[in-house]
């Protein structure tokens, strides 16, 4: 009976080879190499190998290559004489120079030299060939002479290469298994009984460090029950070649007692005998069947740990083994309990029952091609839409290997990948549509990136950059410099400041600036962009830029028109005020004086009448009263046209007169506050503020329904402040466009003085409050400058 460890390793290696070497075909070329690596059947190996050799000859002087049938088949060249160039065409480009040197500089003796190279074609794929070369002669002593013929053999070593790769992977897996194996493994020298190597599981079982264990004897570690038992066991192992098994309990340094199943086997390393100890900790689960089925448990554990559905088939398609994922795969796709159980079911028949579905036909044909060694591996993607929805799977069928006839099939869920591919396709289609839409938009859609080192680049820009900057998109990708060079010098600093502020606050930026186009001259452009912070610390803006020169020109024309209209309106108001002043003066001076003279004359006539002329006196008295009424009307008209108090006493007195007149006419309670000292203001500014106050009082009288008003005039922060407030019904809804003609006139007068108007009404305050703020101007010539 062998020990635990050989059976345990055998199971793991079989499973490892079955999975890692799934692409390896064991044909008649591979079998002799495996036999050769095991030093078994050497004669059979040599005979098979020699049957695969092709013979070639090469005449250097005539540049002719002669191939036998096997060599011709391996190279895909005819057996007739070929040239060196024809031979090199078959070789992979990376290997041609090395082969050329072999052909042109063969060895100087008949001692053969060997080189391996690769050839490939569309039918047989990439293959590895071994070429041996030498000069014909005896005993390897013949020297090369002019025109000598080189000859040698050609052999296909593709399968040997695969086996070498598989063996290297197997050795790596064996080392991994030794380190990661849950069973404790130790190597003990037979000569002195000391331990030379242990795996981590062994140290974990004993609760010791590696330096504490290496060098200790197996007896000191209580691996033997007694000296007598050790002698009997060693005799059984060393003499009879049988393994030793026992069950042992040990106490760790921390006091824990562990129950172990121990297996001891004899192994040879570098011609020296060692005992291989395998310790299986069964403290937590001491089941009698654990020892008998441990290989099965480990195999199932490995298979069930895989996230793919696995089924092992024999040559006829019968299912020999499945894993847990297979059952979930079958049940999840509505295949039923029979297929979910798997073992004993013929999978080929399952595929046949699914005919004429193309995927079932393709799957069966692929698996049979692998069994017949026509394909190293079969891969088929197929839909399997079940109750859980639309699913896609990848079926891979590989041979069992190791001389076993059968297949390992893997069903991998690739739904996510297919969905991702479909999503990518949809995104590409959408991107193409968006690109076409963006191409039809005037201007340039772009991306600007600010790197952590403070440099800029433009990852993306549309072809419109030629129209805006005169630069192609490919000229902008690495550096922002070409774009900055086209921005007007007076605007560069402002644009950079806006962009950097957006990077600091992560707020969108909007800027208008000028650019120099090589053909179009100076243009105005507008740009807007939204920032986003990327994982690498870069800030990237996505936005657009378009030409607004026409709009800027229209805005400038509009501003000029507004300035002209404002100047015209200001001139008209000035002319009107001047005309009012002239008319007021003429009415007051001429008409008033004439009426006064007339009144005096009438008084004189009345005094000259006789006492008997009572009727005439009455008539003259009525004419005198009429003259008095006319004089009062003349004074009122003159004051309305241009109050003289505004010119003599200033704006404060004029506002007081307006409020007193308002109180006298309407009987509304009024409160007025003006500066004690006269405000020294230009006539134009004083007139504008007087007319604004007059219009505000008129609006209160017409619309407010108020019983109290407060008027104040003063200075605030270097500006003249006029405020009129009432307690009326307010202005719940402004007229169309937010202005009445009266308010429009007020705002226009304030704008002509460089001032502003603020209106507050319900529900902000009770009633309505209008504040007019204009700069304090002391010279007449400054009004026009401030207004513009």
């Amino acid at each position: 009976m062998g020990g635990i460890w050989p059976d345990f390793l055998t199971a793991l290696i079989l499973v490892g080879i079955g999975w890692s070497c799934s692409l390896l075909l064991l044909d008649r070329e591979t079998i002799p190499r495996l036999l050769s690596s095991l030093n078994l059947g050497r004669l059979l190996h040599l005979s098979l190998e020699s049957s695969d050799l092709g013979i070639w000859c090469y005449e250097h002087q005539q540049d002719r290559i002669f191939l036998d049938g096997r060599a011709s088949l391996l190279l895909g060249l005819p057996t007739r004489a070929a040239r060196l160039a024809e031979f090199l065409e078959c070789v992979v480009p990376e290997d041609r120079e090395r082969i050329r040197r072999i052909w042109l500089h063969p060895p100087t003796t008949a001692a053969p030299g060997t080189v391996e190279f690769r050839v490939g074609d569309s039918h047989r794929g990439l293959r590895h060939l071994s070429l041996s070369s030498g000069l014909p002669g005896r005993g390897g002593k013949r020297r090369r002479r002019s025109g000598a013929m080189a000859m040698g053999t050609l052999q296909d070593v593709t399968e040997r290469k695969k086996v070498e790769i598989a063996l290297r992977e197997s050795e790596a897996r064996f080392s991994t298994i030794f380190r990661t194996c849950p069973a404790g493994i130790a190597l003990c020298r037979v000569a002195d009984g000391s331990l030379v190597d242990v795996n981590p599981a062994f140290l974990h079982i004993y609760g010791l460090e590696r330096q504490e264990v290496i060098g200790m004897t197996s007896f000191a570690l209580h691996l033997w029950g007694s000296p007598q038992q050790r002698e009997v066991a060693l005799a059984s192992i060393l003499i009879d070649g049988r393994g030793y098994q026992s069950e042992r309990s040990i106490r760790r340094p921390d006091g824990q007692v562990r129950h172990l199943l121990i297996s001891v086997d004899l192994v040879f390393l570098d011609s020296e005998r060692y005992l291989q100890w395998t310790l299986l900790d069964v403290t937590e689960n001491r089941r009698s069947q654990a020892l008998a089925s441990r290989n099965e448990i480990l195999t199932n554990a490995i298979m069930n740990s895989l996230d793919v559905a696995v089924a092992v088939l024999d040559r006829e398609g019968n299912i020999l083994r499945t894993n847990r994922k297979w059952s979930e795969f079958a049940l999840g796709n509505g295949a039923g309990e029979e297929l979910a159980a798997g073992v004993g079911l013929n999978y080929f028949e399952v595929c046949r029952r699914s005919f004429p579905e193309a995927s079932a036909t393709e799957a069966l044909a692929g698996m049979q091609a692998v069994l017949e060694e026509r394909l190293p591996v079969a891969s088929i993607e197929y839909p399997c839409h079940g109750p859980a929805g639309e699913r896609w799977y990848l079926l891979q069928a590989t041979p069992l290997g190791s001389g076993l006839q059968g297949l390992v099939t893997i069903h991998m869920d690739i739904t996510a990948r297919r969905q991702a591919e479909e999503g990518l396709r949809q995104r590409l289609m959408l991107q193409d549509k968006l690109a076409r839409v963006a191409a039809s938009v005037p201007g340039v859609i772009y991306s600007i990136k600010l790197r952590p080192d403070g440099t800029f680049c433009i990852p993306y820009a549309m072809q419109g950059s030629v129209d805006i900057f005169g630069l192609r998109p490919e000229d902008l990708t690495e550096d922002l410099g070409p774009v900055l060079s086209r921005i007007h010098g007076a605007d560069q600093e402002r644009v950079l400041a806006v962009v950097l502020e957006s990077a600091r606050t992560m707020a969108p930026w909007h800027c208008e600036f000028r650019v120099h186009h090589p053909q179009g001259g100076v243009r105005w452009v507008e740009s807007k962009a939204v920032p986003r912070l990327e994982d690498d610390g870069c800030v990237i803006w996505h936005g657009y830029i378009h030409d607004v020169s026409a709009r800027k020109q229209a805005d400038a024309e509009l501003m000029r028109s507004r300035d002209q209209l404002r100047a015209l309106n200001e001139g008209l108001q000035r002319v009107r005020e001047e005309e009012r002043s002239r008319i007021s003066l003429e009415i007051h001076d001429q008409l008033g004086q004439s009426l006064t003279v007339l009144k005096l004359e009438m008084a004189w006539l009345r005094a000259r009448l006789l006492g008997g002329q009572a009727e005439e006196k009455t008539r003259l008295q009525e004419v005198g009263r009429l003259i008095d009424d006319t004089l009062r009307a003349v004074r009122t008209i003159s004051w309305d046209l241009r109050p003289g108090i505004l010119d003599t006493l200033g704006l404060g007195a004029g506002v007081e007169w307006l409020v007193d007149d308002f109180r006298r006419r309407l009987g509304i309670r009024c409160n007025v506050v003006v500066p004690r000292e006269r405000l020294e203001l230009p006539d134009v500014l004083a007139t504008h503020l007087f007319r604004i106050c007059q219009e505000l009082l008129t609006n209160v009288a017409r619309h407010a329904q108020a019983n109290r008003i407060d008027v104040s005039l003063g200075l605030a922060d270097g500006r003249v402040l006029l405020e009129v407030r009432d307690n009326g019904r307010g202005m719940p809804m402004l007229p169309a466009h937010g202005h009445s003609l009266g308010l429009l006139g007020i705002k226009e007068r304030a704008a002509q003085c460089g001032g502003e108007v603020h209106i507050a009404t319900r529900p902000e305050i009770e009633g309505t409050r209008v504040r007019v703020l204009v700069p304090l101007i002391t010279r007449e010539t400054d009004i026009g400058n401030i207004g513009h």
Side-chain angles (χ1 to χ4, degrees):
M1 289 295 292
I4 295 175
W5 177 238
D7 294 339
F8 175 74
L9 277 184
T10 300
L12 288 179
I13 292 173
L14 287 177
V15 173
I17 292 177
W19 287 103
S20 64
C21 301
S22 59
L23 299 179
L24 184 60
L25 290 177
L26 297 182
D27 54 14
R28 73 189 189 90
E29 296 180 357
T30 306
I31 292 174
R33 286 155 180 78
L34 290 178
L35 293 176
S36 176
S37 65
L38 298 175
N39 292 322
L40 298 176
R42 184 62 176 177
L43 182 59
L44 176 61
H45 162 64
L46 292 176
S47 62
L48 289 176
E49 186 178 54
S50 63
S51 66
D52 293 335
L53 294 178
I55 307 299
W56 60 267
C57 296
Y58 178 59
E59 290 184 349
H60 290 273
Q61 187 174 4
Q62 312 240 345
D63 186 23
R64 291 188 303 172
I65 303 174
F66 299 93
L67 307 172
D68 71 346
R70 178 61 178 174
S72 174
L73 180 62
L74 291 177
L75 293 173
L77 294 174
T79 56
R80 63 174 175 78
R83 301 293 181 184
L84 177 60
E86 293 178 290
F87 172 78
L88 292 177
E89 283 296 324
C90 303
V91 180
V92 171
E94 291 81 358
D95 298 343
R96 286 177 183 172
E97 186 59 32
R98 180 158 47 89
I99 298 302
R100 186 194 302 274
R101 289 197 300 268
I102 292 295
W103 285 103
L104 297 179
H105 305 286
T108 56
T109 68
T114 302
V115 63
E116 292 184 359
F117 61 96
R118 294 165 293 172
V119 297
D121 55 48
S122 58
H123 301 292
R124 291 180 290 178
L126 186 68
R127 291 169 291 121
H128 293 262
L129 301 183
S130 176
L131 181 144
S132 63
S133 63
L135 293 173
R138 294 181 180 177
K141 299 297 185 179
R142 186 172 181 177
R143 297 290 181 181
R144 178 183 175 185
R145 62 183 183 274
S146 176
M149 175 182 292
M151 63 182 299
T153 60
L154 195 65
Q155 182 181 12
D156 190 338
V157 295
T158 303
E159 297 304 325
R160 192 194 73 194
K161 283 290 186 180
K162 293 180 180 180
V163 171
E164 290 175 355
I165 295 172
L167 288 177
R168 285 196 298 270
E169 293 177 353
S170 179
E171 290 175 358
R173 270 190 296 275
F174 179 83
S175 176
T176 302
I177 290 171
F178 180 77
R179 293 193 308 271
T180 61
C181 181
I185 304 173
L187 289 178
C188 177
R189 192 181 293 110
V190 173
D192 55 7
S194 61
L195 273 66
V196 296
D197 197 6
V198 295
N199 71 343
F202 186 94
L203 298 174
H204 177 72
I205 290 173
Y206 270 87
L208 297 172
E209 298 294 332
R210 181 179 178 83
Q211 60 270 20
E212 298 178 281
V213 173
I214 300 300
M216 293 183 66
T217 64
S218 55
F219 194 79
L221 288 171
H222 305 288
L223 293 174
W224 299 108
S226 64
Q228 294 78 13
Q229 188 179 30
R230 176 176 180 274
E231 296 299 330
V232 173
L234 284 177
S236 175
I237 295 170
L238 301 178
I239 299 175
D240 299 334
R242 294 181 298 175
Y244 170 76
Q245 297 177 358
S246 67
E247 186 173 348
R248 185 86 62 249
S249 296
I250 64 168
R251 183 179 298 275
R252 294 175 17 147
D254 58 6
Q256 292 187 28
V257 176
R258 312 301 294 178
H259 299 281
L260 307 176
L261 292 178
I262 297 178
S263 175
V264 187
D265 292 282
L266 181 64
V267 295
F268 289 88
L269 298 175
D270 297 330
S271 302
E272 187 174 354
R273 296 185 302 174
Y274 291 87
L275 293 180
Q276 178 179 282
W277 291 85
T278 305
L279 311 182
L280 189 61
D281 192 340
V282 294
T283 304
E284 306 299 331
N285 188 10
R286 297 183 59 188
R287 297 181 181 177
S288 59
Q289 64 270 31
L291 184 61
S293 61
R294 62 185 179 280
N295 293 337
E296 183 69 18
I297 293 173
L298 288 173
T299 302
N300 287 335
I302 294 174
M303 292 186 65
N304 290 331
S305 66
L306 300 174
D307 195 30
V308 292
V310 181
V312 181
L313 314 181
D314 63 12
R315 189 169 184 80
E316 286 72 34
N318 298 311
I319 299 178
L320 304 178
R321 182 187 293 274
T322 61
N323 66 344
R324 184 184 300 113
K325 196 68 177 181
W326 172 273
S327 300
E328 297 174 1
F329 158 74
L331 293 175
N333 291 286
E337 296 290 342
E338 185 181 13
L339 185 60
V343 177
L345 186 68
N346 191 287
Y347 191 61
F348 291 172
E349 288 299 324
V350 173
C351 294
R352 292 189 184 97
R353 287 199 299 268
S354 300
F355 287 172
E357 291 185 12
S359 58
T361 305
E362 186 181 4
L364 182 59
M367 290 187 289
Q368 290 177 341
V370 173
L371 283 174
E372 296 169 4
E373 300 180 357
R374 291 185 284 111
L375 281 178
V377 62
S379 297
I380 300 100
E381 293 186 5
Y382 66 94
C384 188
H385 307 325
E390 294 187 355
R391 311 295 295 176
W392 282 85
Y393 289 89
L394 171 65
L395 166 63
Q396 281 192 336
T398 56
L400 280 176
S402 301
L404 301 176
Q405 297 295 320
L407 292 173
V408 176
T409 62
I410 299 174
H411 296 261
M412 185 182 304
D413 190 342
I414 59 170
T415 306
R417 192 198 77 190
R418 291 293 292 251
Q419 291 174 346
E421 291 174 351
E422 179 63 20
L424 177 60
R425 188 181 68 83
Q426 294 291 342
R427 284 195 296 272
L428 291 176
M429 292 177 58
L430 179 60
Q431 182 178 351
D432 182 62
K433 292 180 181 178
L434 291 177
R436 290 197 296 269
V437 171
S440 65
V441 175
V444 181
I445 296 176
Y446 65 87
S447 296
I448 296 180
K449 179 180 288 189
L450 173 60
R451 304 186 184 99
D453 60 1
T455 59
F456 287 89
C457 65
I458 303 180
Y460 172 77
M462 291 177 53
Q463 287 294 331
S465 61
V466 177
D467 297 331
I468 299 294
F469 299 104
L471 297 170
R472 299 175 302 172
E474 54 267 27
D475 298 332
L476 311 177
T477 54
E478 295 299 328
D479 186 16
L480 194 63
V483 173
L484 288 177
S485 66
R486 299 294 168 87
I487 297 178
H488 195 282
D491 297 339
Q492 286 184 7
E493 185 175 350
R494 177 169 57 87
V495 173
L496 283 176
V498 170
V499 174
L500 293 176
E501 178 65 16
S502 174
R504 187 183 68 83
T505 62
M506 294 308 294
W509 67 273
H510 173 215
C511 189
E512 292 183 356
F513 52 93
R514 291 162 292 179
V515 298
H516 286 283
H517 193 279
Q519 287 79 36
V522 177
R523 297 179 176 180
W524 274 97
V525 297
E526 178 187 36
S527 181
K528 294 182 179 180
V530 178
R532 188 185 77 237
L533 183 62
E534 297 190 324
D535 295 337
D536 58 358
C538 295
V539 179
I540 187 168
W541 289 268
H542 301 290
Y544 75 94
I545 184 171
H546 64 111
D547 193 333
V548 293
S549 299
R551 192 194 74 192
K552 278 288 187 179
Q553 185 176 1
D555 290 345
E557 292 293 336
L558 180 61
M559 289 300 296
R560 282 194 293 271
S561 298
R562 290 181 61 184
D563 291 342
Q564 291 172 357
L565 289 174
R566 181 166 290 170
L568 178 61
N569 182 45
E570 186 177 356
L572 290 175
Q573 288 182 1
R574 185 168 54 252
V575 169
R576 185 173 61 182
E577 289 295 334
E578 292 173 354
E579 185 67 17
R580 280 182 172 184
S581 297
R582 185 186 64 78
I583 293 174
S584 174
L585 184 61
E586 289 180 358
I587 289 175
H588 182 272
D589 292 345
Q590 297 180 13
L591 186 58
Q593 290 177 6
S594 298
L595 289 173
T596 302
V597 171
L598 183 60
K599 181 178 180 180
L600 293 174
E601 291 295 328
M602 289 297 298
W604 183 83
L605 286 175
R606 182 181 177 189
R608 296 292 186 275
L609 291 176
L610 298 177
Q613 296 176 321
E615 183 179 354
E616 287 77 1
K617 289 182 178 182
T618 302
R619 288 291 183 89
L620 289 175
Q621 187 175 2
E622 290 178 356
V623 171
R625 285 196 297 268
L626 181 60
I627 291 173
D628 290 337
D629 292 339
T630 304
L631 279 172
R632 285 192 296 269
V634 166
R635 292 191 188 99
T636 301
I637 292 173
S638 177
W639 273 91
D640 288 342
L641 288 174
R642 177 71 179 181
I645 193 172
L646 191 63
D647 297 325
T648 58
L649 300 180
L651 178 62
V655 170
E656 285 185 313
W657 176 82
L658 280 176
V659 175
D660 289 340
D661 182 66
F662 182 82
R663 181 191 303 112
R664 184 177 62 256
R665 287 187 292 107
L666 300 180
I668 296 177
R669 185 158 50 100
C670 300
N671 181 36
V672 61
V673 177
V674 298
R676 291 180 179 271
E677 299 179 359
R678 177 175 176 172
L679 291 175
E680 297 297 334
L681 301 175
D683 290 343
V684 175
L685 179 58
T687 301
H688 279 311
L689 290 173
F690 180 82
R691 295 301 181 191
I692 289 173
C693 183
Q694 192 176 36
E695 180 65 30
L696 290 174
L697 292 176
T698 302
N699 284 343
V700 172
R702 290 177 179 175
H703 309 294
Q705 299 179 6
N707 57 19
R708 175 185 173 88
I709 63 169
D710 295 292
V711 179
S712 64
L713 176 69
L715 297 176
D717 298 329
R719 294 187 294 178
V720 181
L721 169 63
L722 173 64
E723 178 177 300
V724 178
R725 179 169 183 170
D726 65 72
N727 63 348
R729 64 178 182 176
M731 301 171 61
M733 291 185 62
L734 290 175
H737 306 295
H739 300 287
S740 66
L741 290 178
L743 291 177
L744 183 62
I746 290 171
K747 291 186 176 182
E748 184 61 27
R749 284 183 179 274
Q752 289 176 9
C753 301
E756 54 191 23
V757 179
H758 300 282
I759 301 175
T761 186
R762 296 176 184 269
E764 182 181 353
I765 65 170
E766 188 72 19
T768 303
R769 182 190 66 210
V770 180
R771 288 179 176 172
V772 181
L773 285 164
V774 297
L776 180 59
I777 304 170
T778 58
R779 295 186 303 174
E780 192 79 25
T781 55
D782 292 338
I783 295 179
N785 296 332
I786 292 180
H788 292 287

